[in-house]
Amino acid sequence: MITVRRATPDDAPAIISFQQAMAMETEGMELKSDLITMGVMAVFHDPGKGQYYVAEEMNRVVASLMITYEWSDWRNASVWWFQSVYVIPEYRRKGIFRMMYDHVKMEGMECGIAGLRLYVESGNVRAQKTYEAMGMNGSHYRTFEWMV
């Protein structure tokens, strides 16, 4: 049985390995272990940066995601952003992200959030179809970025 919960620092090794795998899968990028480790641990040390959630089956972490927070002055409430979503390959297409999404959505509604958002790599059509099937709309905004 799959369960979803807030992550703890004990989950950091799985989260770090997931982020390294995702970077390689989606962008062919190798993340430096020391840098990603510090980045993941920064979230655990400063909850203002975000919150990780994991899905596990029989004490094995099989998926993770991070929520970050955006203040919406228009809505006088926070918008929670899904980031760093990763499900290990053998658990994909089994509804795990939907379970995680529903769990986070319920927690967010209890906290009075204005909504949920995510961004997806433009070529990741499978993920986009998953998000659309869950009632999310990707046509309202485009994301522009400047990255170092």
Side-chain angles (χ1 to χ4, degrees), residues 47-99:
K49 287 184 176 21
Q51 170 67 53
Y52 285 107
Y53 290 82
V54 295
E56 64 183 356
E57 181 178 57
M58 297 182 353
N59 296 319
R60 178 185 182 205
V61 176
V62 299
S64 67
L65 61 80
M66 180 176 63
I67 295 297
T68 58
Y69 317 109
E70 170 193 352
W71 180 251
S72 173
D73 54 354
W74 286 14
R75 294 171 179 87
N76 190 34
S78 291
V79 174
W80 286 6
W81 280 82
F82 286 91
Q83 297 193 50
S84 302
V85 176
Y86 188 79
V87 178
I88 61 175
E90 60 265 31
Y91 281 84
R92 293 178 186 166
R93 312 302 300 164
K94 295 183 181 207
I96 291 174
F97 176 72
R98 179 177 291 277
M99 290 174 56

Side-chain angles (χ1 to χ4, degrees), residues 19 32 71 114:
Q19 296 316 298
K32 295 179 182 176
W71 180 251

Side-chain angles (χ1 to χ4, degrees), residues 4 24 26 31 33 36 44 47 49 52 56-57 60 62 64 68 77 90 96 99 105 107 118 125 138 143-144:
V4 177
M24 188 56 69
T26 60
L31 299 180
S33 291
I36 187 64
F44 288 112
K49 287 184 176 21
Y52 285 107
E56 64 183 356
E57 181 178 57
R60 178 185 182 205
V62 299
S64 67
T68 58
E90 60 265 31
I96 291 174
M99 290 174 56
K105 184 177 178 182
E107 276 196 21
L118 57 79
V125 176
T143 301
F144 290 82

